[in-house]
């Protein structure tokens, strides 16, 4: 075996020698490099401070710790208590109130009174809807001691369409209204003559209107609107009224100036004058106005600075004039929402219309001279705020300076052939007048189940030409109350107080004239109440009482109102 190993070793040695010889014959392609070691790397560990786990306490009075031993003495206790599994408390939620898109109301009452209302609304899509409304209120009359027809009726029909898109929302609306009244308020001296003449005292009004409004998002034009109304009566009177306006933001030096621009056109006529001479009364004008304002805010102070400029042109005479008014307001929070001081001074050119006069006093004659009112100043200051989370107040004083202030005044007794010339109608007189108003208001809202509002105002007037502020009260007050008693019962009340007023009766038939007689109209108190019951979420019944004191007061001279009025009815809510 040793011999065999020696032969193997000689073979391996010979193989390695030949291999080395072969490598020396080849060219070496690896370049050699030199690394110069300048200084050997000698890492070191810097010293660090380490807090001792057990610091040394140099205290000669250190006491040794006492050893405490704990022992548990256990013994068995028999118990039959089995704990119940826990369960999360359930919060009682009130059922959400079901809201309906449509309703119908009908009621009947004393004085052969009928009341009806229908409101319809239908969503065409998420962004479109159409709606309609119809109402009718009428009474056969029957006022005590009145010998003439005193029935009335008021019917209105309207329709609307609305659409809301991403950047704008717009609405269209059309309406028609028809009203009938009677000139039944004859002076005592004219009752027998009016009965003998058997005059027709009915007076009907009609109106049709069409309008639209649009609101934009994130543009300099915020909104725009227009309305056209045709108004007339059964005495061949007619009036066209068109108004349009827009609210835009004008950029000025990186700030926005809010500007309201309005256009108002009025044209109308009355077939005859009061003296029945056959002369037609025509009136009309157009007004263009612009009201820029700029708002400043600093902490609790907000101030709006601006002015209004208006140009008016009389269509009949061609005369034009420019009026400039202040447009300034400010609010300052003295004590958060508890005490807020506010004030403003503004002015405007007020467009008076036959429609507005007839709405305020349906016993006007169709012989009015209609002029605009130049309200030079409408200034007020006041304090408002919250006395608690559910009670708020508002105390203010106002000063108004009006040129051509319109006042209702009883027409003179002329008996010139028309049914409204017996002193049983009202005309319009104008005067330059200053008015001072002191008033206050308190509102209470408790959980939306009980709401109460009390308002009172005191007025003083300073006339230029007229003897008295005809048919304007010295004191007014009202109270509004609504109470949701429980899930089914609800009730409410409205109380109104109007102070003394004055009017003037003049007799002038063209042959005989008497000195004017000033008449004092007594103050009156009108109390109204209602109560209702929700049978279910769709059907409710109600009862109303008006003029509960049964007071035959006169809102206008020689025009007593209905006494105690009772009405009962039902309301039905539904969806299509």
């Amino acid at each position: 075996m040793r011999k065999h190993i020696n032969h193997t070793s000689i073979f391996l040695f010979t193989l390695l020698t030949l291999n080395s010889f072969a490598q020396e014959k080849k060219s070496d392609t690896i370049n050699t490099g030199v690394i110069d070691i300048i200084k050997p790397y000698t890492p070191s560990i810097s010293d660090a401070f380490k807090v001792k786990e057990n610091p040394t306490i140099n205290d000669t009075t250190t006491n040794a710790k006492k050893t405490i031993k704990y022992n548990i003495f256990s013994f068995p206790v028999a118990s039959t208590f089995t704990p119940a599994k826990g369960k999360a408390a359930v919060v009682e939620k009130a059922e959400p109130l079901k809201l309906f898109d449509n309703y119908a109301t009908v009621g009947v009452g004393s004085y052969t009174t009928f009341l009806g209302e229908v409101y319809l609304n239908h969503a065409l899509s998420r962004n479109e809807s159409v709606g309609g409304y119809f109402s009718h209120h009428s009474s056969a009359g029957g006022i005590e001691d009145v010998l003439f027809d005193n029935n009335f009726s008021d019917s209105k029909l309207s329709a609307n369409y609305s659409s809301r898109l991403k950047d704008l929302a717009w609405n269209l609306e059309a309406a028609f209204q028809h009203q009938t009244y009677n000139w039944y308020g004859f002076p005592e001296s004219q009752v027998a003559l009016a009965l003998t003449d058997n005059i027709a005292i009915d007076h009907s009004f009609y109106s049709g209107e069409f309008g639209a409004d649009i609101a934009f998002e994130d543009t300099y034009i915020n909104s725009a609107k227009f309305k056209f109304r045709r108004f007339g009566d059964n005495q061949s009177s007619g009036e066209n009224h068109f108004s349009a306006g827009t609210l835009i933001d004008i950029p000025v030096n990186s700030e926005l100036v809010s500007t309201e621009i309005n256009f108002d056109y009025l044209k109308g006529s009355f077939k005859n004058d009061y003296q029945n001479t056959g002369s037609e009364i025509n009136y009309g004008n157009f007004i263009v106005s612009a009201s820029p304002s700029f708002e400043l805010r600093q902490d609790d102070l907000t101030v709006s600075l601006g002015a209004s400029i208006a140009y008016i042109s009389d269509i009949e005479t061609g005369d034009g004039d420019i009026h400039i008014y202040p447009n300034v307001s400010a609010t300052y929070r003295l004590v958060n929402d508890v005490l807020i001081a506010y004030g403003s001074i503004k002015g405007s050119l007020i467009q008076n219309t036959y429609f507005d006069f007839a709405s305020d006093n349906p016993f006007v004659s169709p012989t009015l001279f209609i002029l605009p009112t130049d309200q030079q100043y409408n200034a007020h200051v006041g304090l408002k705020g919250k006395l608690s989370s559910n009670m708020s107040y508002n105390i203010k004083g106002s000063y108004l300076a009006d040129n051509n202030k319109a006042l209702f005044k009883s027409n003179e007794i002329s008996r010139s052939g028309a049914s409204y010339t017996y002193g049983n109608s009202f005309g319009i007189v104008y005067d330059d007048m200053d008015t001072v108003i002191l008033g206050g208001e308190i509102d209470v809202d408790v959980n939306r189940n009980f709401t109460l509002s009390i308002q009172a105002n005191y007025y003083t007037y300073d006339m230029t030409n007229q003897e008295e502020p005809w048919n304007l009260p010295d004191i007014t007050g009202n109270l509004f109350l609504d109470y949701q008693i429980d899930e089914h019962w609800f009730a409410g009340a409205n109380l109104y107080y109007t102070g003394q007023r004055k009017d003037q009766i003049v007799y002038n038939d063209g042959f005989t004239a008497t000195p004017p007689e000033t008449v004092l109209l007594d103050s009156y108190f009108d109390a109204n109440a209602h109560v209702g019951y929700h049978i279910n979420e769709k059907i409710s019944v109600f009862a109303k009482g008006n003029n509960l004191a049964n007071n035959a007061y006169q809102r206008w001279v020689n025009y007593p109102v209905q006494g105690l009025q009772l009405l009962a009815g039902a309301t039905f809510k539904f969806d299509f």
Side-chain angles (χ1 to χ4, degrees), residues 338-408:
V338 176
L339 184 61
I340 302 173
Y342 66 94
S344 70
I345 177 168
K346 300 182 180 182
S348 62
L349 202 56
I350 301 174
Q351 183 77 283
N352 295 316
T353 66
Y354 184 31
F355 173 83
D356 293 331
F357 289 144
S359 299
D360 293 338
N361 183 353
F363 308 113
V364 293
S365 64
T367 59
L368 305 179
F369 292 94
I370 296 181
L371 300 171
T373 295
D374 176 17
Q375 189 172 83
Q376 295 182 323
Y377 301 104
N378 182 355
H380 65 266
V381 293
L383 295 172
K384 63 181 180 180
K386 290 186 176 182
L387 299 176
S388 65
S389 60
N390 51 27
M391 180 179 293
S392 61
Y393 69 94
N394 187 5
I395 302 172
K396 69 176 181 178
S398 302
Y399 169 76
L400 288 77
D402 295 313
N403 291 339
N404 283 339
K405 171 71 175 179
L407 301 171
F408 292 107

Side-chain angles (χ1 to χ4, degrees), residues 486-508:
D486 57 24
E487 182 182 355
H488 297 283
W489 288 97
F490 61 93
N494 310 107
L495 309 178
Y496 302 94
Y497 175 82
T498 301
Q500 294 180 336
R501 293 137 292 129
K502 293 182 180 180
D503 205 333
Q504 193 174 69
I505 297 178
V506 179
Y507 182 85
N508 182 12

